[in-house]
Every structure is written in C-alpha cells, then in structure tokens.
Amino acid sequence: MVAAVLAPLTLTACASGDPAPGADGKAAAPTKAGGPAATVAVTPSGTGTRAGTPVKVTSRGGTLTSVTVTDGEGRKLKGTLSAKDTVWTSERPAAPGETYRVSAGTRGDGGTPGTQETSFSTAKADKVNKLELWPTERTVGIAHPLSVIFDAPVTDKAAVEKALKVTTDNGTEGSWGWIEHHDGRERVDWRPRNYWKPGTKVRLEALLDGVDSGATGGLFARDYDLSFTIGSAQEVQVDLDSKQLDFRRDGRTVRKIPVSGGDPTHGDKASWSGTQVLMRKAGTVRMTSQSVGLGDAYDKDVAYSMHLTWSGAYAHAAPWNSAYFGKANKSSGCIGMSTTNAASLYGDIQVGDPFTVTGKDTKGLPPQGNGYSNWNLPWKEWRKLSALN
C-alpha cells in the first residue's frame, strides 16, 4: 500500500467575519477576524486513487471547526478530531469505486473563519475479497458460533477483526478466533465464553467496505449484516462405551437411543470425540466410502442425516447396522441408530445443538476448522486465537 501523503488540494474557499461553528456544531465565540484563512489538505485526493486508507482532513495555519465527508449516496463518514483540532480522521477507510465530497469549516490563526470544499474518487478494487457467513438459519442452538470464511487470504487479521462488530441483547461475553477452514481457506469464528442463553438475539455487523485484507487478499467492497436468535437449550451426549445417545432439553433427558459408533479396529473408521456442533439437517444423503478415503466399502442413500463435520461425520439412520445398536461400535465413523429413532431425533434437533461424544473407542478431537470444534478449547486458549489479544 502506498502511504498517503498530505498535499494541499485546489479547494473552493470563502471567508467572513461571522463566527464559524465549532467541530461540535455549536457556534464559536465571536472573534475579530484577522490574517489569512486556514488552508486544508485532504487525503486521499484526486481521481481514481486507491481505496483502503482513512480519509484525513488537515488544516494549516489554523484549526478545523467542522468536517463533513459524504459518499455518492449522501452517507456521512464518522470521524474524530485530533487534540488540537488540526486533523480529522475518518473511522472507516475510503471504499473502492466511490466518490466523496468534503466540506471543512476552518478558523485561521488570526481568527479568520472559512469554509473549504473538495471531492475525490477512488478506483475500483483490482482484487475483491468475499466471504461466507454462518449460521444461515435465523434460529440456532446454544453452541453455534458466528463463522466467517474468506475467499482469499487475510494478512491483516487485526484490521479485519476490528471491523467485525458483534452485539447481543444481553451482553454475552465472547471472542473471535482465527482458524483454518477444512478446505484451507481463512476463517474466523466468534464463540461465547459459555453456551448461548436461550432467546439471545445476536447481530453481526461486518463493516468491511474498503478494509484491506492484505497484499494477496485484496480489498473488501461491501458491508455484511447477519442476525439470528438462540433457540431451546438442547444438547446430545453420546457415550460410545455404553453405546447410548442421551438427548436433553433444559438439562433433562428427552429420550435415550441405542447407537453404534465408529469401529476402532479399522483406523480412521473410529468416531471423533469431544463436542461437535450440528451444522445442518441434511435429509437423505448419498454417502460413499471413497469420499472419506475408505475405498469401496459402501455407497448408499442415508436417511435423517445430521451433519457434524466437514470431513463427513454424521448422526443418521443406519438400519443395516441394527444388530449392533447398544452393543458394539461397528460403523464407518458416524453415529448410527434405528430409522425410527433417527426420525424422532431429526424432528427435534436444531442446527447449532452440541453433540458431545465420549468413549475409549474414539480417535481424538476433530481439528478446529473441521466443523465447529471451538468448544474443545478452554476459554483462555480460545481467546489467544484472536488477532487483538
């Protein structure tokens, strides 16, 4: 990025003996005008300049009494004045492909007031970084994090994280954490310190328009907004030692279901342990062993599929394995149960409900980017993944 250099622009200016308004919009005390009016320099400047840096308005030979910067749609940029009222800096960077008008009120060192106006435009971004936002449902379970997956690498993680504003209606404590998504893309998740409280209303304002994600990632060219509500307090406990699934709501067992987990005698067929979060209710899914690196062992349509990891872990109906429900772990990694029990659980479960799997037959925790494994890190460790901590 080329550093912005303050340089005087050709400005329309006027001066009078009337008191100019202060930066807070109030009229300043009358001062006898004398001497030249202050001059103003604005950066960025010109036509087709690169976006991604804050707008700066600097007075010379006096102070700023007011600054208004508006884009082509009339929206005002917020900004702050320096302690001596000589430099105004926008809170957000200039966005790509935009035209801005700047109006600055000034007072010269000798008291002469003035108003100066100019405009500048930014070039469209050579490269635009885009993103995916999760969850996609408007109501989710108590364990679903906010998740942002970027199309291009993010070098300046701190700048991006500062632009991601999470608010709740009950002051929920939480933190962002940067991880690698299952397909290798950059990803940042926001999880609460503890599970969400039912009924919490959550909003993400991703104020990214004009933010530079780094040399290889490019600029963001729009803002994003996402809102959702937390549903009932539901969770699933799967004990692969006893081969039982316990579905709970508000801390009470709704039903127990005999299951069969991954077969630990066949390497990668063992089930993941720890807390996984239901990503989607996928319905009937064609599952092939080749898609998860297990050769030609199976190829079948599987009903009531509840998706837990990007690598292919599900809870689902598995009638072909009925002899093992409640008795032995003989699946290829998923949590299988009868069609009747799967249909009942599928009807009650919410996207975002946590599935916590325990037992000696498991193969360890899924990596952070493989589904939502955020809850498998202690809070202090999770906070260390933030670019701002």
Side-chain angles (χ1 to χ4, degrees), residues 3 47 64 69 81 109 184 188 196 224-225 233 244 252 296 309 349 358 369 380 385:
T47 301
L64 295 167
V69 180
L81 271 170
D109 289 337
V188 63
W196 299 101
Y224 298 80
D225 199 300
Q244 295 290 321
R252 298 181 178 181
D296 298 321
T309 70
I349 207 75
T358 58
K380 288 184 178 179
L385 299 181

Side-chain angles (χ1 to χ4, degrees), residues 178-196:
W178 290 85
I179 57 181
E180 182 179 305
H181 190 54
H182 184 61
D183 63 7
R185 286 183 292 170
E186 207 86 62
R187 176 173 141 193
V188 63
D189 290 357
W190 194 96
R191 55 152 275 205
R193 181 169 187 165
N194 303 300
Y195 286 157
W196 299 101

Side-chain angles (χ1 to χ4, degrees), residues 269 286-300 311-312 332:
K269 285 189 175 183
R286 181 186 177 190
M287 296 188 185
T288 66
S289 50
Q290 289 183 339
S291 67
V292 291
L294 295 176
D296 298 321
Y298 60 86
D299 183 346
K300 55 182 59 125
S311 62
S332 296

Side-chain angles (χ1 to χ4, degrees), residues 113-127:
T115 301
Q116 304 189 37
E117 296 181 349
T118 189
S119 63
F120 67 91
S121 64
T122 56
K124 292 183 178 180
D126 293 334
K127 185 173 185 179

Side-chain angles (χ1 to χ4, degrees), residues 7-310:
L9 302 180
T10 302
L11 302 166
T12 302
C14 62
S16 72
D18 296 328
D24 58 2
K26 298 179 180 179
T31 302
K32 184 178 180 180
T39 60
V40 169
V42 178
T43 57
S45 63
T47 301
T49 188
R50 190 179 189 280
T53 58
V55 179
K56 286 192 175 183
V57 181
T58 303
S59 68
R60 292 174 176 168
T63 58
L64 295 167
T65 57
S66 65
V67 175
T68 302
V69 180
T70 55
D71 65 16
E73 296 183 10
R75 295 170 298 197
K76 295 180 180 180
L77 284 185
K78 294 181 180 179
T80 56
L81 271 170
S82 62
K84 295 184 178 180
D85 293 345
T86 57
V87 181
W88 181 94
T89 306
S90 65
E91 294 179 0
R92 300 186 59 180
E98 189 60 83
T99 297
Y100 292 93
R101 298 192 64 83
V102 181
S103 178
T106 62
R107 182 172 297 281
D109 289 337
T112 301
T115 301
Q116 304 189 37
E117 296 181 349
T118 189
S119 63
F120 67 91
S121 64
T122 56
K124 292 183 178 180
D126 293 334
K127 185 173 185 179
V128 175
N129 203 342
K130 299 179 181 179
L131 54 83
E132 296 175 28
L133 288 176
W134 294 70
T136 57
E137 290 77 11
R138 299 285 69 84
T139 301
V140 297
I142 58 175
H144 206 308
L146 278 158
S147 189
V148 186
I149 308 169
F150 301 93
D151 282 359
V154 178
T155 305
D156 195 345
K157 292 179 172 61
V160 171
E161 190 173 326
K162 287 177 182 177
L164 303 176
K165 181 183 178 183
V166 178
T167 54
T168 69
D169 64 348
N170 57 12
T172 301
E173 180 184 8
S175 176
W176 291 103
W178 290 85
I179 57 181
E180 182 179 305
H181 190 54
H182 184 61
D183 63 7
R185 286 183 292 170
E186 207 86 62
R187 176 173 141 193
V188 63
D189 290 357
W190 194 96
R191 55 152 275 205
R193 181 169 187 165
N194 303 300
Y195 286 157
W196 299 101
K197 292 181 179 179
T200 301
K201 297 185 184 301
V202 187
R203 183 183 183 189
L204 168 64
E205 296 172 273
L207 306 177
L208 289 167
D209 196 6
V211 173
D212 194 342
S213 62
T216 58
L219 293 167
F220 294 95
R222 55 163 290 193
D223 292 337
Y224 298 80
D225 199 300
L226 174 68
S227 296
F228 58 94
T229 301
I230 306 303
S232 303
Q234 298 185 162
E235 54 185 307
V236 175
Q237 301 283 341
V238 181
D239 184 346
L240 292 185
D241 289 338
S242 65
K243 291 80 178 174
Q244 295 290 321
L245 181 153
D246 186 4
F247 174 52
R248 301 176 183 177
R249 182 180 295 125
D250 298 324
R252 298 181 178 181
T253 296
V254 175
R255 68 178 61 86
K256 283 186 176 289
I257 298 174
V259 297
S260 179
D263 187 344
T265 65
H266 290 80
D268 280 347
K269 285 189 175 183
S271 297
W272 293 110
S273 64
T275 299
Q276 299 147 57
V277 177
L278 182 62
M279 300 191 298
R280 65 187 180 112
K281 297 167 73 170
T284 297
V285 174
R286 181 186 177 190
M287 296 188 185
T288 66
S289 50
Q290 289 183 339
S291 67
V292 291
L294 295 176
D296 298 321
Y298 60 86
D299 183 346
K300 55 182 59 125
D301 291 332
V302 180
Y304 302 111
S305 295
M306 294 162 267
H307 199 182
L308 299 174
T309 70
W310 296 112

